[in-house]
């Protein structure tokens, strides 16, 4: 739509690790991009289709473990493992088909239950997952004969995946599929009267979201190079949900923004020590109040205010005594 | 399963179930009045437990007073949060999901404030009842567990009476079921909503003291219990009072007996599978209450 | 759709501002030691213990003039007990803060996760309380451990049971379902075989569980003659309480997870009679001079008695400082080499690393009698 | 001429309440078929049964010679039954044209993969969807508001938008549930014109309506329901003179007859 602006954003994300050469920050940026991919997937579920899911971390974990196991045990090349992780994760989401028709709050609790079940499987089935010790020494990603060992290389890999996922979801949202999802989220009866199969579309939506989460999981496995069930509890699901809502429901750029802010904010707040998490909580609460649409809705709000201030200021100087908001 | 395991499981499951029920009740009445999924309810319970314990540190109180202080603490925390945060958010007319995420924010704030105030170590609750089991009919029965069950049931009965027979209770019910009609009848829905949070907080505070006396108090005691209470409330059909009560008791028993009968490693998973199965068979929970769906 | 252009723009700007603006320089005239652990989250109490001990040692050292005239500075980093965060903070400490050596973490998974970063960045890491054998057997020469691994603890416990309770051949094993409990279980199973001790009932619980009726009920119904338990103190105290509530009487054996005064405080009367394995206890430290002076200093600073976490962390920082001194420079590999050869009087006895990076300490058995820790090895053989 | 829609002994019970009871009804292709009756007569329930939003307790529905059985609403929509709702059910946060585009869902195919790859066929289809949506908007006169958010449109326009959403798929049968509710006199007259144009375009319409003027002008066949039962069936003229209908509608004849004589304008409306 606005290729110039997209390019600008891409360029700024692309130069970030070149300007900031500290490997720690490059690592965190990579984590933020993976978070962005996760948030994009959940945005489709929550923001577009109105499905409140608290189980996204389960898919993330499944993708991560599949990708790690394939590369470590069977020597599958990274690219293939990455894709298989996405596909298999998407297939596991079919387990949720029976519950997609539940009303929103029950669905939230049921997906939370799904997350707990997956977590317990990751924790207890040592033979497959390494149990509570997790999987160590996941190999770094190999692409076409290159081993991406530095943080910067992996960052660019994540960026490439993020761009593809973003473009893909953007296309989906602005297609017949996306319209159907939004229709379902706004009025299920009317959507059915238009010929939309609610269960099929909700299931497809979970499928796409799970695929995305699977890809993110694979990236995470080869980025962090250590997997542990504790990183895939429902707390992670809640964190992803916070990213989406903070970024702004229904907005893809918002999801990316929300993820980056939620991942980086604690890093910035670290210097505030003991109060860090309290501040974080406050920021979440305040953000929920100041803007209906999260961060994505925040900036237009600010520009409006500014414009209003400016106009009222000029009105004031022109006609003192009469101020209209 | 031996007879002894059956008895122990029943009593233990009922006791923890009572605690789930008390929290689930709060979650349920909040959902009915505001449609908010209140994720900070477990933290309110924690505040109740801490308040009771702090009172006990200052003056040596009998247990009933500790319980009352805990209830006051929970109610106070709930009303402060409602007035300062949720009411403001509602006034700003933000989407429901924003308020729900804000409750997660509140949960983070409460946990960490509690960590600063009461420290990160678990705190010992003085034994409020005799804890060594007494033999009844050949089974070791803990008087403490029996007391928890008795007190839990008493509390729930009081709540039922409150909703059925007091003016405020009836007004709250009415406002929750049909806010517009209630407004026409002269009920201030804004005020009844605030009272709803108070009542939910008081219940959670009571649960906190009971839980503390059974186990211990710590800054992070609330989150997991809160989530489990959520599951319990869902099990009972979100929005129904008796559903929340029975859902809590049922979940306590399911948890205990799935541990006894199936596998302790997958104890929590069994509870979740049961929940999902029940939701599939009866999408509105076991105890369906006709009325508005959420 | 109208706002999309603006949204994309803002997303990009915000992201790049956040990312680019994130560097801050660190001052260079102090010797930095990275200390990470769970300062928030469920295990925050153990993280706090680590911090208290490190603080104490560093204050002492700085008061004595530091090392080569430089002050020592501890850079604390919170991993919240999560492996994912542990990787983050380890990267931060090594890449941004340029620490000379790292101390942490408390839990084994977080320590394991961080150990990869230690290897990649060529920084020595001293694990404070992670007892999983695996940490030091991965062929990572940069990781060292202050506590003794679970293999030794569990093996020694089996030996103790064999020696003092010769009739106990069937035990029930109750453990927390994570790396810590699982490690204890596996190693005890191995260690017990040698003495013909068989695990007839295996029960797990989730971290943070509070109700153990189901597990204890199954144990009570099993043919077990004793209960061996791999718990941390909070859950351990509840297990003890519920054990008593159910009128169970079999002998109970625990591990270093409960080697903390808080265990006795939370458990009250219910923990009387429990035996547990540990590398440190004030009850068994009477003839260790370093321990006595540590206890005295600690009491003065914090007006409480140090626990096993304190002593492990104190030893860790002590050996880190020694290594930096011995290395003669702040070069990370030199510090690592000096650390591998370190030898000193620790709060838990004479300290030395074996080839894997594990300490060669002896273990102790504590029996709780009337709420007091006593030396468990002193008891007569139980018939 | 065969009936497009035929119900036999159609019955729907909610607990003890019988909302629709043994209704035999047929709608001829090309008709505008009115369905009237006092409040609670079961008109909307009947529409819901035909559209599949509610399942019948017993009886059958045949559409276009095919037994609908227990087909879900989306399959019935695909088969050519479209509807509007009594209380506006628009996708409020989407634009007007997007609302109408959703109406074409059952008539189009491209799904996840074609959309991701943006294949030629998919782009072609999207273009067609947009063109047809604009056409439908134009048909109801809403083209100028195509890009407005549906929830922000004036009430009358929202009604029209719902009709456009149903019409865009060129259904065989359109079920319109009180399209005139809340419209003013001028708008109601325009609605009659619109219904006539819809009829002319070859769409059979089943109209549930309280607004008697609209019903009498637009319909060429009317069925009256009372307490869930079919009371009368015939041309508008037949219905006007049917004594049972007047009684059902006006209750005690004398009171309302006098009332209607005094306020002839009001007689067009059914008492609420």
């Amino acid at each position: 739509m606005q290729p110039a602006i997209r390019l600008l954003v891409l360029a700024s994300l692309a130069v970030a690790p070149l300007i900031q050469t500290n490997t720690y920050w490059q690592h965190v940026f990579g984590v933020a991009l993976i978070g962005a991919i996760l948030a994009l997937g959940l945005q489709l579920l929550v923001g577009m289709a109105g499905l409140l899911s608290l189980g996204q971390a389960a898919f993330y974990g499944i993708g991560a473990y599949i990708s790690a196991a394939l590369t470590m045990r069977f020597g599958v090349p990274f690219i293939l493992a990455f894709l298989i992780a996405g596909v298999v994760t998407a297939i596991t989401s079919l387990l949720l088909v029976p519950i997609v028709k539940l009303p929103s709050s029950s669905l939230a609790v049921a997906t939370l239950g799904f997350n707990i079940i997956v977590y317990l499987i990751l924790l207890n089935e040592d033979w497959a997952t390494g149990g509570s010790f997790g999987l160590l020494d996941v190999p770094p990603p190999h692409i076409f004969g290159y081993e991406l060992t530095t943080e910067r290389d992996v960052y660019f890999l994540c960026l490439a995946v993020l761009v593809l996922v973003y473009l893909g979801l953007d296309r989906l949202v602005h297609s017949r599929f996306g319209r159907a999802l939004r229709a379902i989220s706004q009025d299920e009866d009317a959507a059915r009267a238009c010929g939309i199969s609610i269960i099929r579309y909700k299931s497809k939506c979970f499928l796409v979201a799970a695929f995305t989460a699977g890809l993110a999981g694979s990236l995470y496995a080869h980025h962090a190079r250590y997997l542990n069930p504790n990183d895939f509890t429902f707390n992670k699901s809640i964190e992803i949900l916070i990213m989406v809502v903070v970024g702004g429901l229904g907005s893809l750029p918002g999801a990316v923004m929300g993820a980056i802010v939620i991942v980086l904010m604690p890093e910035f707040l670290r210097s505030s020590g003991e109060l860090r998490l309290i501040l974080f909580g406050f920021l979440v609460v305040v953000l929920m109040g100041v803007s209906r649409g999260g961060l994505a809705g925040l900036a237009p709000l600010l520009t409006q205010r500014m414009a209003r201030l400016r106009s009222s200021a000029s009105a004031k100087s022109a006609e003192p005594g009469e101020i209209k908001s | 399963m031996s007879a002894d395991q059956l008895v122990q499981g029943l009593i233990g499951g009922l006791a923890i179930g009572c605690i789930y029920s008390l929290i689930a009740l709060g979650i349920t009445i909040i959902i009915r009045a505001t449609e908010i999924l209140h994720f900070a309810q477990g933290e309110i319970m924690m505040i109740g437990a801490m308040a009771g314990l702090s009172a006990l540190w200052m003056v040596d109180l009998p247990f009933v007073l500790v319980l009352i202080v805990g209830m006051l603490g929970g109610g106070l925390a709930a009303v402060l949060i409602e007035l300062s945060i949720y009411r403001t958010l509602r006034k700003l007319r933000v989407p429901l999901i924003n308020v729900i995420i804000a409750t997660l924010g509140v949960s983070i704030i409460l946990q960490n404030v509690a960590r600063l105030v009461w420290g990160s170590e678990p705190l010992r609750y003085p034994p409020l009842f005799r804890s060594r089991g007494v033999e009844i009919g050949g089974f070791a029965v803990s008087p403490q567990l029996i007391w928890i069950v008795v007190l839990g049931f008493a509390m729930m009965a009081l709540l039922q009476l409150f909703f059925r027979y007091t003016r405020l209770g009836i007004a709250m019910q009415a406002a929750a079921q049909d806010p517009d009609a209630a407004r026409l009848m002269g009920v201030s829905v804004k005020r009844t909503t605030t009272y709803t949070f108070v009542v939910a907080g008081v219940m959670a505070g009571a649960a906190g003291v009971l839980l503390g006396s059974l186990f211990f108090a710590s800054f992070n005691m609330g989150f997991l219990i809160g989530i489990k209470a959520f599951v319990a409330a869902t099990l009972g059909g979100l929005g129904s009072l008796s559903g929340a009560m029975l859902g809590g008791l049922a979940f306590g028993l399911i948890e205990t007996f799935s541990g006894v009968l199936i596998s302790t490693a997958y104890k929590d998973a069994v509870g979740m599978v049961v929940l999902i199965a029940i939701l599939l068979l009866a999408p509105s929970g076991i105890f369906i209450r006709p009325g508005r769906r959420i | 759709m109208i706002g999309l252009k603006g949204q994309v723009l803002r997303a990009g700007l915000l992201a790049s501002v956040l990312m680019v603006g994130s560097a801050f320089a660190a001052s260079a005239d102090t010797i930095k030691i990275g200390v990470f652990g769970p300062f928030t989250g469920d295990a925050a109490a153990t993280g706090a213990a680590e911090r208290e001990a490190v603080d104490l040692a560093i204050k002492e050292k700085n008061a004595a003039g530091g090392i080569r005239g430089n002050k020592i500075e501890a850079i604390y980093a919170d991993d919240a007990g999560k492996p994912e965060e542990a990787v983050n903070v380890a990267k931060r400490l090594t890449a941004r803060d340029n620490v000379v050596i790292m101390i942490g973490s408390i839990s084994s998974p977080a320590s394991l996760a961080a150990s990869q970063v230690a290897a990649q960045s060529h920084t020595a890491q001293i694990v404070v309380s992670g007892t999983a054998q695996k940490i030091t057997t991965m062929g990572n020469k940069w990781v060292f451990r202050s506590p003794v691994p679970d293999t030794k603890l569990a093996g020694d416990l089996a030996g103790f049971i064999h020696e003092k309770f010769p009739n106990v051949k069937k035990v029930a094993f109750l453990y927390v379902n994570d790396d810590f409990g699982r490690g204890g279980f596996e190693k005890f199973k191995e260690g017990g075989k040698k003495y013909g001790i068989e695990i007839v009932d295996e029960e797990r619980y989730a971290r943070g569980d509070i109700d153990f009726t189901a597990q204890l009920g199954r144990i009570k119904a099993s043919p077990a003659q004793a209960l061996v338990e791999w718990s941390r103190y909070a859950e351990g105290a509840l297990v003890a309480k519920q054990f008593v509530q159910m009128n169970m009487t079999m002998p109970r054996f625990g591990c270093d997870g409960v080697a903390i005064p808080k265990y006795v405080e939370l458990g009250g009367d219910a923990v009387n009679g429990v035996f547990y394995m540990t590398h440190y206890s004030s009850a068994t430290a009477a003839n260790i001079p370093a321990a006595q002076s540590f206890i005295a200093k600690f009491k003065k600073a914090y007006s409480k008695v140090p626990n096993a976490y304190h002593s492990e962390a104190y030893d860790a920082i002590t050996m880190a400082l020694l290594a930096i001194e011995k290395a003669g420079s702040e070069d990370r590999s030199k510090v690592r080499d000096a650390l591998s050869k370190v030898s000193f009087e620790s709060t838990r006895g004479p300290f030395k690393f074996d080839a894997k990076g594990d300490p060669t300490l002896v273990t102790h058995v504590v029996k709780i009698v009337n709420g007091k820790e006593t030396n468990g090895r002193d008891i007569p053989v139980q018939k | 001429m065969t009936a497009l829609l035929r119900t036999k002994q159609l019955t729907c019970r909610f607990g003890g309440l019988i909302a629709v009871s043994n209704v035999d009804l047929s709608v001829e292709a090309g008709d505008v078929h009115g369905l009237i009756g006092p409040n609670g007569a079961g008109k909307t329930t009947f529409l819901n049964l035909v559209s599949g939003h509610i399942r019948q307790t017993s009886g059958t529905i045949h559409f276009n010679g095919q037994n609908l059985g227990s087909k879900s609403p989306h399959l019935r929509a695909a088969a050519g039954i479209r509807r509007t709702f009594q209380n506006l059910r628009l996708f409020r946060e989407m634009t007007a044209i997007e609302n109408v585009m959703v109406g074409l869902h059952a008539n189009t195919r491209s799904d996840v993969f074609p959309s991701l790859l943006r294949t030629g066929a998919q782009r072609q289809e999207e273009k067609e969807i947009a063109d047809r949506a604009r056409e439908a908007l134009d048909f109801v006169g809403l083209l100028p508001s195509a890009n407005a958010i549906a929830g922000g449109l004036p009430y009358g326009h929202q009604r029209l938008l719902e009709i456009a959403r149903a019409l865009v798929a060129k259904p065989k049968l359109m079920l319109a549930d009180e399209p005139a509710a809340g419209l003013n006199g001028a708008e109601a007259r325009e609605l009659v014109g619109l219904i006539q144009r819809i009829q002319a375009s070859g769409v059979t319409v089943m109209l549930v309506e309280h607004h008697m003027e609209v019903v009498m002008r637009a319909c060429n066949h009317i069925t009256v329901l009372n307490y869930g039962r079919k009371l009368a069936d015939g041309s508008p003229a037949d219905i006007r003179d049917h004594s049972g209908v007047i009684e059902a509608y006006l209750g005690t004849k004398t009171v309302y007859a006098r009332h209607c004589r005094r306020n002839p304008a009001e007689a067009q409306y059914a008492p609420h």
Side-chain angles (χ1 to χ4, degrees), chain A residues 43-109:
Chain A
Q43 183 70 279
L44 193 71
L45 275 175
V46 185
M48 301 294 167
L51 296 165
L52 187 53
S53 166
L54 291 178
Q56 198 66 358
F59 298 125
Y60 182 46
I62 292 171
Y65 271 91
I66 288 176
S67 186
L70 284 177
T71 47
M72 290 168 74
R73 300 226 177 120
F74 305 105
V76 177
F78 166 74
I79 291 276
L80 203 58
F82 172 71
L83 291 175
I84 295 175
V87 171
V88 175
T89 310
I91 292 171
T92 57
S93 79
L94 294 177
L95 288 170
L96 294 185
V97 170
I99 61 169
V100 295
K101 62 170 191 266
L102 293 176
S104 149
S105 47
S106 304
L107 182 71
V109 180

Side-chain angles (χ1 to χ4, degrees), chain A residues 123-124 126 137 151 270 299, chain C residues 10 91 116 177 182 204:
Chain A
L123 182 68
N124 285 311
D126 308 34
D137 283 328
E151 296 291 346
R270 270 190 208 287
Chain C
R10 280 186 300 276
K91 295 227 177 201
Q116 295 189 324
N177 195 3
R182 197 79 70 85
R204 314 172 180 185

Side-chain angles (χ1 to χ4, degrees), chain A residues 131-181:
Chain A
S132 47
F133 292 108
L135 291 177
L136 264 163
D137 283 328
V138 181
H142 279 74
I143 294 181
F144 307 125
Y146 294 100
E147 192 177 66
L148 307 183
T149 40
T150 68
E151 296 291 346
R152 203 186 60 203
D153 294 348
V154 182
Y155 174 88
F156 282 120
L157 173 69
C158 295
L159 185 60
V161 176
L162 174 64
V163 168
L164 286 177
V165 167
Y166 183 94
L167 292 179
L169 289 181
D170 191 46
R171 284 180 169 190
L172 272 190
V173 167
H174 298 102
S175 72
R176 175 174 170 271
F177 180 78
R179 282 194 300 271
L181 292 185

Side-chain angles (χ1 to χ4, degrees), chain D residues 8 16 35 51 62 73 89-90 106 135 186 212 229 239-240 252:
Chain D
K8 278 214 182 89
L35 188 61
S51 72
H62 278 81
R89 303 289 285 272
L90 290 170
E135 233 169 77
M212 279 307 144
R229 291 178 180 280
I239 298 300
R240 209 180 319 230
T252 333

Side-chain angles (χ1 to χ4, degrees), chain C residues 84-241:
Chain C
E84 184 190 356
E85 279 293 302
V87 171
N88 281 358
V89 295
K91 295 227 177 201
R92 185 157 64 91
L93 292 171
T94 52
R96 196 193 80 188
D97 299 324
N98 281 316
V99 300
V100 178
I101 189 170
M102 287 191 287
I103 293 176
S105 174
I106 298 284
S107 82
S108 296
S111 306
L112 264 174
S115 70
Q116 295 189 324
V117 181
Q120 285 158 18
S121 63
H122 293 208
T123 316
Q125 172 195 1
I126 307 171
V127 175
V128 170
S129 155
T131 51
Q133 176 71 73
K134 212 172 177 176
I135 295 176
T136 49
T137 54
M138 300 293 297
N140 181 345
K141 68 165 189 166
W142 297 93
V143 66
F144 297 85
R145 160 159 47 202
S146 174
V148 293
D150 46 18
T151 329
K152 183 163 171 59
L153 277 174
D156 288 0
L157 177 59
F160 174 78
I161 295 175
H162 176 71
E163 180 192 329
K164 299 286 186 182
F165 293 82
N167 295 331
V168 172
K169 290 295 167 205
K170 293 184 162 90
V171 300
F173 202 100
L174 173 66
Y175 62 95
V176 54
N177 195 3
D178 64 7
D179 55 286
F180 171 71
R182 197 79 70 85
F185 171 70
E186 301 290 345
K187 305 307 175 201
F188 185 84
K189 203 158 92 181
E190 275 166 34
K193 258 183 207 144
K194 205 163 77 187
Y195 305 102
I197 299 173
E198 188 195 353
I199 297 179
V200 292
D201 187 28
E202 172 197 348
E203 300 296 341
R204 314 172 180 185
Y205 61 82
R207 187 97 198 261
D209 263 5
I210 48 179
D211 181 19
F212 307 93
T213 323
Q215 288 89 345
L216 290 172
R218 279 161 70 128
I219 291 168
K220 197 174 175 185
S222 79
Q225 298 158 304
L227 168 63
V228 183
E229 190 198 345
W230 229 258
S231 296
R232 294 188 186 79
Y233 62 96
E235 288 99 339
L238 292 179
V239 169
K241 275 189 179 176

Side-chain angles (χ1 to χ4, degrees), chain D residues 188-201:
Chain D
R189 271 187 293 283
E190 276 171 36
L191 180 69
V192 172
L194 177 61
I195 293 173
Q196 282 162 348
R197 280 192 291 135
I198 293 170
Q199 187 182 19
S201 74

